[in-house]
Amino acid sequence: MEIIVAKSAGFCFGVDNAVKKVYQLLDTNNERIFTFGPVIHNDQVVNYLKRKGVKIVNDIDEVNEKGHIVIRAHGVTPVIYKKIKDKGLILEDATCPYVKKIHNLVEQKSSEGYRIIIVGDKNHPEVIGINGWCNDNAYIVNSADDVEKLKKSDEKICVVAQTTITKEKWHEVNEALKEKFENILKFDTICSATTKRQSEVEEISKVVDLMIIMGDKKSSNTQKLCDISRKHCPLTFKVETSLDLPQIDVEKIKKIGISAGASTPDWVIEEVIRKMSELNNQEVTKNEVNQEDFNFADALEESFVRIRPGEIIKGKVIGFNANEVYVDLGYKADGIIPLEEYTDIPDFQIEKEVKVGDEIEVFVQQINDGEGNVRLSKKQVDINKAWEDVEKAYNDKTPLKAVVVEVVNGGVVASYRGVRIFVPGSQLSDRYVKDLKDFLKRTIEVRLIDFNQKRRKLVGSARVILEERKEKASKEIWETIEVGKTYNGVVKSLTDFGAFVDIGGVDGLIHVSELSWSRVNHPSEVLKVGDTVEVHVLEFDKDKKKISLGYRKEEDNPWVKVGQMYKEGVIVTVKVLRMTPFGAFVEVIEGVDGLVHISQISNKRITKVEDVLEVGMKVDAKIIEMDLENKKINLSIKEVKPIDPPDNNAKETGENKEEPEITEHKEEMEVTLADVIKTSEEVKS
């Protein structure tokens, strides 16, 4: 069996420089050493450095003491440099020279008015750092599909690359960009070492039966090497250490290729080569392999702890994603907690609840989950501890707060720190529950009413707690209630005649007439079930356990408002609302009606109000009387502008037509008779 090792396998210049800088600091000073993020995407190296006292921080605000801080090869944004300076930390800048060149280029072209486009992974720390040098204003694309989402534009474009992407991706994206932009300035910033490493893997993978690519599971450039290799050699395996090597049939596999990502230490590469060579004592074919050893392999192996399935051990959170939490156990491999084994809280927000550096207890489920990782469970530890609380709560009859996680036949299942408690539907509330699904993901308080430790079966009730609290609250209310007292309550139900409100263990009624100063046809026009409302007591009967509540506020009383707005003698514009035989009711302001008597409409005789007014008509009227106490306002239209009836209003018959003339002659006759009497008296005298 022949083994071919890529010349460029292992640390690139930038990674080698960053790691050496940390080792030098460890050897030459006694001050605290921090790295901004893992100095290298390799758990073996990172874990060793942590044991030496190096602390990883993901935010400068986490640093609360003086010391050195190493900026890793990926580089950072200008904001991070400023924070380091403001904290008074000693900066050790190990940014890769190739990356620093991109920072300078992006900053310059951005100031010249170019829109920056970065070809790479938007979540990669290198890309995040580059984007910071153009005020986080770059377009970040990782494929032709990403380019398709951009709008066509005539703006000036400057394109740069993440140093570890493939040449294939670079060309693919740039071809797509031609369809979107006309003015493009391109800078191929892919690291030459990356290009060389990828080319070597491509050539070796074409002539071997099996390919081994070494690197950390989080390493981007290692994954790209695997992708390139698999195009030519389907039997490509990604390993972190020699412990992850696959079983090899030396009878069938005649030629093996080996390469490694930029973050793989030389001692790991040498160990893999040695293991492979021992399979049949074959010679290794290689043109160049760095033989330098960092002299910590033995110390690292000795420092590994021993763990077994079923044990509960402590570890530190070193990272997480949307589905998993990574834990440093001090073992040769890190532990992984799947999200479902971390908690069963619905809609758990891992980015808010999990913090890198947290020390946690975990249950070891498997030493090797098939990918060389230790499978862990935090939930199992929580459950074991929670049972102690559960038993105490049952004996003391104290409530437990649990989250409803499942609806089952006849009730729901609530989880208390992983311990499942069955709550029958009849015990969920002190009121009828129409749909049990309404309680999903809600936190409820339950008291255990059945506890079977052997079968680990628990039954809980929220109803007993609610009823006890309601009874206590009810007693307190009836002892302290008085007319005018204000309560905050919750609307429980609506009827045609009003709304029932729970004011803390006792229900009171807001009559429909007390909901608003305006006319209300149904309570649903003002309130809905579940509303929180402020109410005041109008009257109560302790014997009958009845309370009448008021909802409308005195300051909203329109009769108070109208008294503040108008006085007698003021002319206002009113709207005619309805007619009566004796006059018309008009709206002075919303909620306040006044009366215009039929005699106050015109100076002439009016038979019917409808003859001169219409509903909805707006007219000017003078307030001639205001009785706010009895809620009465009288107005006059004729004192402003009389509305006379039409001339043909009373000319319906021939007899009626003559009536005005008779009236006129009657007045004339009365005057003449007076004169006659006066003259007669004068004659007599």
Side-chain angles (χ1 to χ4, degrees), residues 206-445:
K206 291 178 181 179
V207 298
V208 297
D209 304 310
L210 181 145
M211 192 77 181
I212 301 294
I213 306 292
M214 286 170 280
D216 190 87
K217 55 179 173 292
K218 298 184 286 295
S219 169
S220 173
N221 71 86
T222 302
Q223 185 56 50
K224 290 181 176 66
L225 294 179
C226 289
D227 295 339
I228 292 170
S229 177
R230 288 191 179 108
K231 291 180 181 180
H232 308 289
C233 180
L235 284 178
T236 296
F237 294 89
K238 181 180 178 182
V239 302
E240 289 192 46
T241 69
S242 60
L243 297 173
D244 305 319
L245 287 171
Q247 291 186 349
I248 298 172
D249 187 345
V250 294
E251 299 296 326
K252 296 180 180 179
I253 304 299
K254 302 299 182 184
K255 192 177 290 188
I256 295 177
I258 294 178
S259 187
S263 299
T264 307
D266 285 357
W267 69 265
V268 173
I269 299 173
E270 290 293 326
E271 177 65 11
V272 168
I273 294 172
R274 185 179 63 79
K275 288 280 186 182
M276 299 297 292
S277 301
E278 287 175 355
L279 288 174
N280 61 354
N281 295 320
Q282 295 293 315
E283 290 294 325
V284 177
T285 302
K286 55 183 177 181
N287 294 322
E288 181 183 343
V289 173
N290 187 352
Q291 298 297 326
E292 182 184 356
D293 191 346
F294 289 119
N295 297 320
F296 62 78
D298 294 338
L300 182 63
E301 187 67 30
E302 290 174 4
S303 67
F304 289 151
V305 299
R306 307 283 182 185
I307 61 175
R308 290 174 295 181
E311 285 185 330
I312 293 178
I313 58 176
K314 287 184 178 180
K316 276 190 178 181
V317 176
I318 57 174
F320 57 85
N321 57 36
N323 302 307
E324 296 173 326
V325 177
Y326 302 104
V327 180
D328 175 17
L329 304 169
Y331 184 63
K332 63 182 69 177
D334 288 334
I336 293 180
I337 310 174
L339 186 58
E340 64 271 16
E341 287 297 330
Y342 193 91
T343 181
D344 57 5
I345 296 175
D347 299 327
F348 180 74
Q349 295 181 307
I350 192 169
E351 66 281 359
K352 292 184 178 180
E353 301 297 333
V354 179
K355 298 287 185 292
V356 172
D358 283 354
E359 186 174 81
I360 58 174
E361 283 191 308
V362 290
F363 178 84
V364 180
Q365 292 182 325
Q366 288 178 286
I367 295 296
N368 189 330
D369 63 357
E371 296 183 2
N373 302 306
V374 181
R375 184 181 173 91
L376 307 170
S377 172
K378 177 180 175 293
K379 190 168 70 174
Q380 187 63 51
V381 176
D382 292 340
I383 289 174
N384 293 342
K385 290 184 177 180
W387 269 99
E388 298 175 8
D389 296 342
V390 166
E391 185 173 3
K392 188 175 187 303
Y394 176 73
N395 293 329
D396 297 344
K397 294 186 178 181
T398 54
L400 295 170
K401 287 185 177 181
V403 180
V404 177
V405 295
E406 187 180 355
V407 175
V408 295
N409 188 26
V412 301
V413 173
S415 172
Y416 171 74
R417 292 170 54 190
V419 175
R420 293 165 67 87
I421 304 170
F422 174 67
V423 183
S426 61
Q427 298 299 317
L428 263 175
S429 174
D430 58 341
R431 298 175 182 268
Y432 172 69
V433 178
K434 186 177 181 180
D435 190 352
L436 298 179
K437 291 181 181 178
D438 292 341
F439 281 81
L440 266 178
K441 300 182 182 181
R442 280 173 52 181
T443 299
I444 60 175
E445 275 195 293

Side-chain angles (χ1 to χ4, degrees), residues 71-139:
I71 300 299
R72 57 188 175 176
H74 296 129
V76 294
T77 66
V79 174
I80 302 301
Y81 283 110
K82 185 178 184 305
K83 282 188 174 184
I84 291 172
K85 182 178 179 181
D86 292 344
K87 280 277 188 178
L89 296 169
I90 302 171
L91 174 64
E92 304 288 347
D93 196 348
T95 303
C96 173
Y98 293 103
V99 175
K100 181 60 73 175
K101 179 181 177 182
I102 303 174
H103 290 176
N104 296 334
L105 177 64
V106 164
E107 184 178 30
Q108 177 188 342
K109 293 303 175 184
S110 178
S111 67
E112 292 173 3
Y114 283 84
R115 166 76 75 171
I116 306 299
I117 293 182
I118 306 171
V119 183
D121 178 359
K122 64 181 180 181
N123 296 316
H124 195 280
E126 181 188 313
V127 174
I128 294 171
I130 295 170
N131 196 17
W133 292 90
C134 58
N135 298 316
D136 295 320
N137 199 34
Y139 293 146

Side-chain angles (χ1 to χ4, degrees), residues 16 28 31 84 88 198 238 254 282 305 321 394 415 488 509 543 553 570 574 597:
D16 188 37
T28 58
E31 295 178 283
I84 291 172
Q198 292 173 355
K238 181 180 178 182
K254 302 299 182 184
Q282 295 293 315
V305 299
N321 57 36
Y394 176 73
S415 172
N488 287 320
L509 173 67
D543 295 330
K553 294 178 174 58
V570 173
V574 297
H597 193 270

Side-chain angles (χ1 to χ4, degrees), residues 486-502:
T486 300
Y487 294 94
N488 287 320
V490 178
V491 178
K492 290 300 182 183
S493 63
L494 302 176
T495 68
D496 291 339
F497 53 84
F500 284 97
V501 176
D502 180 356

Side-chain angles (χ1 to χ4, degrees), residues 40-59:
I40 178 177
H41 276 168
N42 184 275
D43 286 346
Q44 285 75 36
V45 175
V46 169
N47 290 338
Y48 171 76
L49 293 176
K50 285 196 294 187
R51 292 188 185 91
K52 288 291 186 179
V54 177
K55 183 178 180 181
I56 299 172
V57 295
N58 295 297
D59 190 327

Side-chain angles (χ1 to χ4, degrees), residues 21-68:
K21 190 176 287 289
V22 178
Y23 288 143
Q24 288 168 2
L25 289 171
L26 286 171
D27 292 337
T28 58
N29 82 93
N30 296 320
E31 295 178 283
R32 195 67 197 272
I33 302 171
F34 304 90
T35 64
F36 188 77
V39 71
I40 178 177
H41 276 168
N42 184 275
D43 286 346
Q44 285 75 36
V45 175
V46 169
N47 290 338
Y48 171 76
L49 293 176
K50 285 196 294 187
R51 292 188 185 91
K52 288 291 186 179
V54 177
K55 183 178 180 181
I56 299 172
V57 295
N58 295 297
D59 190 327
I60 301 302
D61 291 335
E62 296 175 23
V63 182
N64 296 314
E65 53 189 308
K66 299 299 181 182
H68 296 254

